[in-house]
Amino acid sequence: MAGTVAKRVLGTVAGTVAVTAAAVAGLLVTMPAGVHGFGAMVAELQGHTDTRDAATAALAPKGAVPYWTRAVGADVTVVRPGEAYGAHDGSVRADMALAPDTHLPATCTPLPQPGMPWDGGGPWPDLTGEQALLCEGWVTVVVDGHLYTWTGPDPQA
């Protein structure tokens, strides 16, 4: 009798672990590639962030990347505030690889500091000390052929 109860308990525990593992694996598969870490995953699930990935900037949602990147950007991650964040103030941040020999628009003007993008979680390098430009309303920083760009209600702040 005791052996039967132990087998049932072990079977229940094993079943619970298997179901939980399958649920976590399924969740990881459905997360965009730009969602890294447990905190970013929770923010995405709770609707605080809306992360989208695109193979090229041309495939990114309209208004989610500067228009001039559409022909030169690849491996794009866009993070916006999600529905649970509250009022959407236009904040968006994006990062992408740039095609070799990409030139920024001539209308870009230097910023003394890059400021801070809207914090949508996930990986974002410390851009302190990097040359920041304001390109048509987007704060723009290029590091080793990778573009980090963001905008919002006051992109210079």
Side-chain angles (χ1 to χ4, degrees):
M1 177 86 161
T4 304
V5 172
K7 284 182 181 179
R8 285 186 190 168
V9 169
L10 286 176
T12 302
V13 169
T16 302
V17 168
V19 168
T20 302
V24 169
L27 183 62
L28 291 175
V29 168
T30 62
M31 284 290 136
V35 176
H36 300 283
F38 182 73
M41 200 169 20
V42 170
E44 197 77 17
L45 289 172
Q46 292 178 340
H48 294 286
T49 58
D50 178 20
T51 303
R52 306 280 173 104
D53 294 318
T56 67
L59 297 174
K62 187 174 181 169
V65 296
Y67 81 90
W68 57 268
T69 64
R70 294 208 171 267
V72 295
D75 298 324
V76 180
T77 298
V78 175
V79 182
R80 295 180 179 185
E83 290 180 13
Y85 181 78
H88 187 356
D89 59 5
S91 295
V92 62
R93 71 176 210 189
D95 66 272
M96 66 189 80
L98 291 176
D101 300 322
T102 296
H103 298 286
L104 301 179
T107 57
C108 295
T109 56
L111 288 172
Q113 292 182 314
M116 290 297 296
W118 170 77
D119 181 19
W124 194 261
D126 179 9
L127 299 173
T128 307
E130 299 293 338
Q131 173 60 56
L133 300 170
L134 186 62
C135 301
E136 300 164 11
W138 292 81
V139 177
T140 303
V141 178
V142 178
V143 178
D144 297 328
H146 199 91
L147 174 73
Y148 299 92
T149 188
W150 64 94
T151 193
D154 186 8
Q156 297 183 57

